[in-house]
Amino acid sequence: MREFDVAVVGSGYVGLVTGACLAYIGHRVTCVDKNERRVADLQRGKMPIYEPGLEEMVARGRSAGQLRFTADLPGCAREAEVVFIAVDTPPGEDGSADLSNVAAVARSIGRALSEAGERERPLIVVNKSTVPVGSGDYVSMLVREGAEEAGNGSVDFRVVSNPEFLREGSAVYDSLFPDRIVLGAESREALDTMRELYEPIIEQSFPAEMDPRPKAAVPFVTTDLASAEMIKYAANAFLATKISFINEIANICELVGADVSSVAYGIGLDGRIGPRFLSAGIGWGGSCFPKDVSALRSIAREYDYEPLLLDAAVCVNERQRKQVISKLQRELHTLKGKRVALLGLTFKPNTDDLREAPSLEIARTLSSLGARVVGYDPVAAKEAARLQPELKAAFDPYEALRGAHAAVVVTEWEEVRSLDPARAASLMEEPRVLVDGRNALDPERCRRGGLLYRGFGRA
């Protein structure tokens, strides 16, 4: 394989995982970040995020001399063959993606190219950030503007869309063993270069510490820029809608006396539906689904189109969080003066990500209704308490349960799944309510242990 010189701009969740994995398969990678403190931490091996396996992957790349960190974007852009843009695109007030970070990077790349002079090959500029349809053309315009500002608009580059499909908690695995690699470009030359870059992953030819490998080869999907950008939004919107669908079914199950777990298992065996993303509960959160669904709705409205199905998916998701409060009120009658323990605070297990986490919204609502809220999480309790001052942090699940009238399973960490119901009940105050927001615990075991169990979609 050919060893590429790669720059990855943005050393957050996507950028750091991408850079570490590209270094692992044999490329020379420089991760760039404008936050000099983050760069200094990474140079010492200190991680800015919690992601299983990432710290070891970064350490391996650094020790092999394949991975380094810097704040010098112009220098990296001049030397690199491929530059990935992996900066944050947060939602604006109207739900649309804020591209100001992408724009700043694109202009800086243009200035660097202008100052570098003639190149042997065109620079490949890769949009790895989740960006709206049309952003490839937008980035091309900004690179040229940056070059013109520096005095030389005749710069040689190609823009590629390469959306990420990483799941927090398994991002390293997803990078090395993806379901597919999607590339969009108007240049055949750029697509061929990217295929060469990804060849060790496509062919699964890199050394891997697992046997057998999950798959023999990875599908390599090439299309135009706009379609590649839409694939990312469509994938996340579909998964969010699937979760909202099973939550709608769960609410009907409660009314008619059916069990949504059995229903989900039964319909999941249908090959047209599949079993994944059919877990009922308090709904979806995190950094991707809310932002991407919101952005796709915003894009539709730019064209005077009302995305009714996506709107409904969001409405169902918002209602699920309110269901937690309703279930607690039904059993406690009043929340004033009651102590409620939230078990798990991140939006999903095996990450420290609290963006759009249901726990924070539930904590705010409970506090506004007069409850005293304590929250346990194995990695994010302290940060959650900083973000939500009404939330008291606990660093052991049983500490959180002590003196609580009710508990809510918000995130199904293994430490939460393995709770001893009898021990939990012995620490709690009457009526010892447990609202299982992820249907993660055994209802009968909880009841035998002395807890008043309430799940989602369970009769």
Side-chain angles (χ1 to χ4, degrees), residues 203-353:
E203 303 298 335
Q204 291 289 284
S205 58
F206 60 91
E209 297 170 359
M210 55 181 64
D211 188 29
R213 288 177 182 271
K215 51 177 70 71
V218 174
F220 185 69
V221 180
T222 60
T223 184
D224 57 274
L225 278 166
S227 297
E229 292 161 348
M230 181 58 83
I231 286 170
K232 167 66 174 181
Y233 281 120
N236 278 351
F238 180 84
L239 295 175
T241 301
K242 192 173 181 181
I243 296 169
S244 287
F245 171 81
I246 199 63
N247 280 331
E248 189 85 289
I249 296 299
N251 294 335
I252 299 172
C253 283
E254 286 190 23
L255 297 173
V256 302
D259 188 325
V260 73
S261 300
S262 297
V263 173
Y265 177 73
I267 66 174
L269 293 173
D270 188 323
R272 298 168 299 176
I273 297 173
R276 299 174 66 185
F277 292 85
L278 287 178
S279 297
I282 57 179
W284 37 271
S287 60
C288 289
F289 286 2
K291 178 170 71 75
D292 292 354
V293 174
S294 178
L296 188 53
R297 294 165 74 202
S298 176
I299 291 169
R301 291 194 172 102
E302 285 181 14
Y303 295 87
D304 198 29
Y305 180 82
E306 291 300 317
L308 301 179
L309 183 60
L310 298 182
D311 291 347
V314 171
C315 287
V316 170
N317 197 59
E318 292 172 349
R319 186 173 61 189
Q320 290 307 107
R321 301 183 185 188
K322 296 174 183 175
Q323 288 273 73
V324 172
I325 307 301
S326 298
K327 289 176 185 290
L328 290 171
Q329 288 174 323
R330 196 174 303 133
E331 305 302 337
L332 299 177
H333 304 300
T334 179
L335 292 170
K336 290 181 174 61
K338 299 296 194 298
R339 179 180 168 98
V340 180
L342 303 183
L343 303 177
L345 301 172
T346 54
F347 87 95
K348 66 178 288 189
N350 298 319
T351 179
D352 60 353
D353 197 343

Side-chain angles (χ1 to χ4, degrees), residues 369-385:
L369 294 172
R372 294 293 175 262
V373 186
V374 59
Y376 160 75
D377 192 277
V379 300
K382 185 175 180 180
E383 178 64 9

Side-chain angles (χ1 to χ4, degrees), residues 23-263:
Y24 176 73
I25 64 172
H27 300 302
R28 294 180 296 270
V29 180
T30 303
C31 288
V32 185
D33 203 286
K34 65 181 180 180
N35 185 331
E36 294 189 2
R37 180 176 177 180
R38 173 171 288 190
V39 170
D41 284 344
L42 285 165
Q43 289 171 340
R44 295 195 303 269
K46 183 179 178 182
M47 295 295 102
I49 57 173
Y50 175 82
E51 178 65 32
L54 180 58
E55 185 172 0
E56 295 81 2
M57 185 74 74
V58 169
R60 182 186 303 225
R62 289 174 60 239
S63 65
Q66 297 292 121
L67 181 64
R68 68 186 188 96
F69 303 94
T70 183
D72 180 15
L73 172 56
C76 288
R78 286 191 290 268
E79 299 297 325
E81 299 168 81
V82 179
V83 176
F84 285 84
I85 301 178
V87 294
D88 195 19
T89 55
E93 290 184 6
D94 62 352
S96 62
D98 179 353
L99 297 182
S100 57
N101 292 326
V102 172
V105 172
R107 285 196 175 93
S108 183
I109 290 172
R111 288 192 293 271
L113 285 177
S114 177
E115 294 161 1
E118 190 173 342
R119 296 174 58 93
E120 183 179 341
R121 294 188 182 93
L123 176 67
I124 308 299
V125 179
V126 184
N127 270 340
K128 197 70 174 174
S129 301
T130 300
V131 291
V133 177
S135 295
D137 294 334
Y138 180 60
V139 166
S140 290
M141 178 188 73
L142 293 172
V143 171
R144 294 198 185 284
E145 283 184 2
E148 289 165 1
E149 289 168 7
N152 177 18
S154 304
V155 291
D156 196 8
F157 69 97
R158 306 287 185 273
V159 173
V160 173
S161 174
N162 176 209
E164 54 85 15
F165 301 98
L166 307 182
R167 297 168 297 169
E168 293 190 41
S170 58
V172 171
Y173 180 94
D174 291 344
S175 293
L176 296 176
F177 308 102
D179 292 329
R180 74 286 202 198
I181 294 173
V182 174
L183 272 300
E186 309 309 324
S187 161
R188 185 75 249 172
E189 177 189 11
L191 292 174
D192 289 344
T193 299
M194 292 301 295
R195 195 195 190 289
E196 192 176 1
L197 176 82
Y198 277 124
E199 183 177 359
I201 293 177
I202 295 167
E203 303 298 335
Q204 291 289 284
S205 58
F206 60 91
E209 297 170 359
M210 55 181 64
D211 188 29
R213 288 177 182 271
K215 51 177 70 71
V218 174
F220 185 69
V221 180
T222 60
T223 184
D224 57 274
L225 278 166
S227 297
E229 292 161 348
M230 181 58 83
I231 286 170
K232 167 66 174 181
Y233 281 120
N236 278 351
F238 180 84
L239 295 175
T241 301
K242 192 173 181 181
I243 296 169
S244 287
F245 171 81
I246 199 63
N247 280 331
E248 189 85 289
I249 296 299
N251 294 335
I252 299 172
C253 283
E254 286 190 23
L255 297 173
V256 302
D259 188 325
V260 73
S261 300
S262 297
V263 173

Side-chain angles (χ1 to χ4, degrees), residues 421-423 425-426 444-451:
R423 183 180 174 190
S426 72
E444 286 306 315
R445 185 165 178 257
C446 289
R447 289 171 185 135
R448 287 197 303 271
L451 297 174

